[in-house]
Amino acid sequence: EAETFRWEDAIIYQVVIDRFRSSAGPLSHDLPASFIHGGDLIGITESIESGYFENLGANVLWLSPVIDNPEGQFIGRDGHLAESYHGYWPSDARRVETRIGGESALRDLIHAAHTRGIRVILDHVLNHIHTDHPYSQHEQAESWLNHPDGSCICGFSCPWSTNIQDCWFDPFLADLNWHNPEVAKTQIDDAIYWLEEYNLDGFRVDAVPMMPRMAIRKLRHELNIKLGHRPNDYYLLGETYTGVFG
């Protein structure tokens, strides 16, 4: 962990936790693709300790979101049932999903990786929250959410072309209002908590084009101020996916 690390030369291996490996046995591949298959953090740690990633030449693990997600099945904008196997439906600000192993399993994974000189970046969701999240239910929710009545669904009731920064991905995924200073501060404080608490090496930031440009600038600025700016510390990788939007 103390060795000099060059992100420019990094080989990053993306791990979708639910689909990689289960410490309890085989994954449930007979289930629909949108359902939970059973991968966990302990399974990834076992692969780290076996030398699996080193043998591939990978020296960075990009983990799918580990933040707590709601249980159960939800009907998306496409009318199909899905479960939060991917981790992109935050329902808590600072809790690791118990289903994938919880806090201790995340700490063990990062320690095992760092022991072998492997860095760990976490996929982190700043753009939206599940409607079960406390932030969408407290007394200030009206000012914390864009279209708090859920009336603007991306590509359905609102077009991507004009509402990409304020529409909801799904009827149950509330879009956060980054123009509210309290939202910006809270989201950034929560992000910094994850880095400090778990000794992470950075973030892959989800849905960058779906937020105002100032969101990532504020995040980088606060990281520099609160955690100190040193070369190669706290790597940020942003999703800039675009496609054919209606």
Side-chain angles (χ1 to χ4, degrees):
E1 183 178 6
E3 293 181 1
T4 300
F5 189 86
R6 291 180 57 84
W7 286 97
E8 299 91 335
D9 300 328
I11 304 297
I12 301 176
Y13 189 110
Q14 181 187 8
V15 182
V16 179
I17 298 167
D18 182 70
R19 301 302 157 89
F20 185 76
R21 179 177 175 179
S22 170
S23 59
L27 299 179
S28 303
H29 292 303
D30 56 329
L31 294 174
S34 60
F35 285 14
I36 291 169
H37 287 197
D40 57 30
L41 294 168
I42 300 171
I44 299 170
T45 302
E46 290 172 350
S47 292
I48 294 172
E49 293 174 338
S50 74
Y52 176 83
F53 298 106
E54 290 170 283
N55 290 338
L56 291 174
N59 57 358
V60 178
L61 298 184
W62 157 13
L63 300 180
S64 56
V66 301
I67 198 166
D68 196 43
N69 274 218
E71 297 182 4
Q73 300 172 355
F74 297 84
I75 299 177
R77 61 185 180 186
D78 58 2
H80 295 133
L81 281 174
E83 297 175 335
S84 58
Y85 72 89
H86 41 64
Y88 291 100
W89 300 349
S91 60
D92 194 278
R94 302 188 178 190
R95 186 167 60 186
V96 179
E97 178 75 64
T98 303
R99 177 182 62 82
I100 60 173
E103 294 180 2
S104 61
L106 180 59
R107 294 186 197 281
D108 290 345
L109 185 157
I110 295 170
H111 176 73
H114 284 175
T115 298
R116 290 159 178 78
I118 298 173
R119 269 42 179 182
V120 181
I121 61 175
L122 182 65
D123 207 317
H124 195 61
V125 183
L126 294 173
N127 172 69
H128 59 269
I129 53 177
H130 194 277
T131 50
D132 286 349
H133 196 294
Y135 293 167
S136 73
Q137 299 177 351
H138 62 48
E139 59 184 16
Q140 296 178 328
E142 288 286 314
S143 64
W144 274 52
L145 306 179
N146 292 314
H147 307 285
D149 60 355
S151 61
C152 183
I153 308 299
C154 305
F156 285 76
S157 51
C158 284
W160 282 102
S161 57
T162 57
N163 294 89
I164 190 172
Q165 291 189 354
D166 59 30
C167 60
W168 291 29
F169 284 170
D170 271 309
F172 49 82
L173 291 182
D175 195 79
L176 288 166
N177 176 18
W178 271 85
H179 294 290
N180 181 332
E182 292 184 8
V183 171
K185 182 180 185 306
T186 300
Q187 285 292 88
I188 290 171
D189 285 348
D190 288 341
I192 290 174
Y193 164 83
W194 285 94
L195 288 179
E196 290 188 307
E197 183 68 19
Y198 294 99
N199 195 24
L200 288 160
D201 301 295
F203 289 131
R204 180 272 190 182
V205 183
D206 183 57
V208 170
M210 288 72 182
M211 297 180 286
R213 291 185 66 185
M214 59 85 171
I216 303 305
R217 291 182 178 183
K218 283 181 177 291
L219 175 61
R220 179 76 266 178
H221 178 70
E222 291 302 318
L223 286 178
N224 292 348
I225 290 177
K226 295 184 178 180
L227 300 182
H229 180 64
R230 298 184 300 275
N232 296 320
D233 283 357
Y234 306 115
Y235 186 69
L236 295 184
L237 176 67
E239 178 195 17
T240 56
Y241 170 81
T242 58
V244 180
F245 296 133

